[in-house]
């Protein structure tokens, strides 16, 4: 069955405003596809575990306290606390004394946590390779370059003004 939200070249938006509107539609479509994909992944590894695994990646970049991690991932501290407990219980994360304040602790992935991240990356990369297998290499490179540029600009542009 054809996806009616895919635009044929002859139906390309006519004006820059139409192009921005279409970009918004396609980003929303991608968001829905990601939700479906994550739901499928969660079913294969367990819902709670799947959500918690995402915390491994920022911890691998920089060990940090739970509060800082919650801020970094824009999540409620109580949710992050529960997810951290799951990761600790699974032996994927350990608490270590904070070098800046020995009374506090920082969260650090264990060797098993790093192995889990590697397996998750392999799985993601295999899926993306399958999606892109028929794309010319230059198109894949262009997609990476443009997406990187778009995300950087998206992250550095302030939030839109509230409607009046």
């Amino acid at each position: 069955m054809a996806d009616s939200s895919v635009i044929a070249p002859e139906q390309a938006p006519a004006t820059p405003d139409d192009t921005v509107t279409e970009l918004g539609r396609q980003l929303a479509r991608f968001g829905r596809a990601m939700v479906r994909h994550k739901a499928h992944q969660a079913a294969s590894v367990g819902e709670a575990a799947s959500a918690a695994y995402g915390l491994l990646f920022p911890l691998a970049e920089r060990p940090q306290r739970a509060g800082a991690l919650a801020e970094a991932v824009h999540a409620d501290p109580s949710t992050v606390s529960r997810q951290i407990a799951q990761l600790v219980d699974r032996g994927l994360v350990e608490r270590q004394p904070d070098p800046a304040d020995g009374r506090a602790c920082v969260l650090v992935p264990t060797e098993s946590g790093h192995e889990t991240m590697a397996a998750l990356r392999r799985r993601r990369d295999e899926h993306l390779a399958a999606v892109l297998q028929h794309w010319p290499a230059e198109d894949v490179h262009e997609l990476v370059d443009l997406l990187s540029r778009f995300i950087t600009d998206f992250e550095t542009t302030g939030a839109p003004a509230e409607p009046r």
Side-chain angles (χ1 to χ4, degrees):
M1 175 182 229
D3 185 341
S4 63
S5 61
V6 175
I7 294 182
E10 63 276 2
Q11 297 173 325
T15 69
D17 286 344
D18 291 343
T19 302
V20 170
T21 298
E22 185 56 29
L23 174 61
R25 282 179 20 119
Q26 293 304 321
L27 288 172
R29 180 174 162 230
F30 181 67
R32 291 188 301 272
M34 287 299 296
V35 167
R36 284 190 305 272
H37 178 73
K38 286 183 179 279
H40 178 18
Q41 272 188 316
S44 70
V45 297
E47 180 67 39
S50 177
Y53 287 167
L55 297 178
L56 290 168
F57 295 93
L59 290 176
E61 290 176 17
R62 183 176 58 87
Q64 52 196 301
R65 295 181 186 183
L69 178 61
E71 268 185 51
V73 299
H74 307 288
D76 183 79
S78 63
T79 300
V80 170
S81 180
R82 283 190 301 276
Q83 292 173 335
I84 289 166
Q86 293 168 356
L87 295 172
V88 169
D89 289 346
R90 288 181 172 85
L92 302 175
V93 167
E94 64 184 7
R95 292 179 172 91
Q96 295 180 353
D98 185 337
D101 179 357
R103 298 169 297 171
C105 69
V106 292
L107 303 160
V108 180
T110 62
E111 183 177 331
S112 182
H114 285 286
E115 290 168 2
T116 298
M117 284 187 293
L120 291 169
R121 278 191 184 109
R122 273 192 307 278
R123 214 168 138 188
R124 177 199 62 202
D125 291 353
E126 288 168 0
H127 179 73
L128 290 173
V131 169
L132 298 169
Q133 69 181 335
H134 300 295
W135 285 43
E138 59 272 8
D139 286 358
V140 175
H141 291 292
E142 184 176 8
L143 174 63
V144 170
D145 291 344
L146 291 172
L147 190 56
S148 176
R149 181 173 150 201
F150 175 78
I151 292 168
T152 297
D153 290 348
F154 190 89
E155 289 174 334
T156 59
T157 301
E162 289 292 322
R164 296 179 197 245

